[in-house]
Amino acid sequence: MIATPLPTAAEPSDFVHPALFYRDLEEYTAGVGAFVREALAAQEPVFLAVPGPHLNALRQSLGSDADGIDCVDMRELGRNPGRILAALQGFADRNPGRAPRIVGEPIWPGRTEGEILEATRHEALINTAFAGRPATILCPYDLSGLSSQVVADARRTHPTVIEDGRDTASPFYTDADTVCSDCDLPFPEPSQDPLLLEYAGGGLAQVREHAENWVRGADLDPARRGDFVLAVSEAAANSLAHGGGKGTLRLWSTATGGVVAEIQDSGRLSNALAGRRRPSLTSGNGGRGLWMIHQLCDLVEIRALESGLTLRLHVSAV
């Protein structure tokens, strides 16, 4: 077993965000376990957001030290990567005046390409959202199960990396704007011809009716159909208010029985964190619509290009 060094303790205004590269479960539990135990010894609050099997392994490895630690299965929290950041910030907010220690594992073997891309965007935006805040977020990456591209992107989104017993600065680390821009890849075309609707001012009711009529034929329970229609309505409303007053909606089903809505307009995403942080009740806008969309959908894919903004909203059948 290779001893894994712990991230250097943060100064009061420092944010520390290392990637922990591991090759097997033993290396994983040793590295993450040491991180957790040091935090507990320093009486710092700990939050574990990792996939269920890893959460179970950590609980077994930590024994009684795991009692009272805030934990969540990242397969549920992070099914839509756009929901993760708010949970991490919420934990930090519930511990004011303290330097929380968080383990966040947003990418694991089996993630789809779309999920990985949005999780990579999330990893880059962590650095913006937590800048200047005393906290440490350790992000494990499975070298044996993830692609070389995922590992390369981890080196770009984390200022430091822990690998082979060494904690070093990543020479490939870059700013969030660059990473997010690189994530704005062209969408692949759907495998079936989508149903198309163009809409403009005064057409929000038409969009909602169009989506309601179409999704009745989908293999979703009534509650999820309602979530889908509400998400489409919120996205179209954003188009009318902020995306040039018009847009296009495309709808199609997936091979696994899920549904996808694509909303395209000429708008801009002026704040890459919009929708990823819980909006203030006192804010005039604050990204409430995009926040709601993230809560309703199983995956939200975003492309912010010179030609405009495109969202793909996914709701799964399972």
Side-chain angles (χ1 to χ4, degrees):
M1 180 191 306
I2 297 175
T4 302
L6 300 174
T8 304
E11 293 297 324
S13 63
D14 284 350
F15 172 57
V16 183
H17 184 208
L20 169 64
F21 294 134
Y22 67 94
R23 293 175 179 82
D24 54 38
L25 191 59
E26 182 181 14
E27 195 172 357
Y28 180 91
T29 54
V32 176
F35 175 79
V36 171
R37 289 190 176 97
E38 184 186 73
L40 295 175
Q43 298 185 321
E44 294 170 342
V46 178
F47 181 37
L48 300 180
V50 302
H54 282 171
L55 190 56
N56 293 336
L58 286 171
R59 283 173 171 152
Q60 184 175 0
S61 174
L62 290 166
S64 61
D65 286 341
D67 296 344
I69 292 178
D70 283 19
C71 302
V72 66
D73 187 340
M74 185 62 97
R75 295 174 304 180
E76 297 300 322
L77 169 64
R79 184 171 187 173
N80 173 14
R83 298 179 192 159
I84 302 172
L85 185 56
L88 306 189
Q89 289 191 304
F91 178 76
D93 291 343
R94 292 192 297 274
N95 293 276
R98 305 175 72 189
R101 297 280 195 112
I102 298 170
V103 182
E105 189 171 3
I107 302 178
W108 57 88
R111 278 286 219 183
T112 67
E113 289 185 13
E115 291 167 350
I116 288 173
L117 203 61
E118 293 305 321
T120 299
R121 195 190 302 269
H122 155 78
E123 286 278 54
L125 291 172
I126 283 179
N127 300 303
T128 301
F130 276 85
R133 186 168 193 171
T136 301
I137 301 179
L138 179 72
C139 301
Y141 280 82
D142 183 355
L143 292 181
S144 64
L146 296 172
S147 71
S148 59
Q149 183 60 58
V150 170
V151 174
D153 283 334
R155 298 182 190 278
R156 300 177 71 223
T157 55
H158 295 79
T160 62
V161 298
I162 301 172
E163 183 176 13
D164 293 332
R166 295 187 296 274
D167 183 356
T168 60
S170 173
F172 304 103
Y173 174 68
T174 190
D175 63 276
D177 287 344
T178 298
V179 175
C180 289
S181 178
D182 290 343
C183 287
D184 288 327
L185 300 172
F187 278 126
E189 278 298 302
S191 58
Q192 58 178 266
D193 290 336
L195 186 63
L196 173 66
L197 174 69
E198 297 181 352
Y199 57 90
L204 189 56
Q206 180 190 13
V207 169
R208 186 179 184 90
E209 181 180 4
H210 188 75
E212 284 177 338
N213 291 336
W214 179 82
V215 81
R216 285 195 187 104
D219 188 21
L220 301 177
D221 64 49
R224 292 304 280 148
R225 291 177 196 166
D227 290 344
F228 179 74
V229 172
L230 182 54
V232 171
S233 181
E234 287 292 333
N238 277 351
S239 290
L240 298 177
H242 311 292
K246 62 181 180 179
T248 60
L249 168 67
R250 299 201 299 171
L251 302 168
W252 66 92
S253 301
T254 68
T256 56
V259 293
V260 183
E262 180 186 273
I263 296 89
Q264 186 172 21
D265 57 47
S266 59
R268 295 286 183 270
L269 191 64
S270 59
N271 180 3
L273 290 169
R276 294 173 181 267
R277 298 191 289 193
R278 185 182 295 274
S280 168
L281 294 175
T282 59
S283 65
N285 184 335
R288 284 197 185 93
L290 194 49
W291 162 266
M292 184 177 295
I293 290 167
H294 275 298
Q295 307 314 302
L296 293 167
C297 297
D298 295 313
L299 174 64
V300 178
E301 296 183 90
I302 299 174
R303 297 292 187 272
L305 304 172
E306 286 299 319
S307 57
L309 187 65
T310 304
L311 302 182
R312 280 193 177 178
L313 315 181
H314 299 250
V315 173
S316 302
V318 293

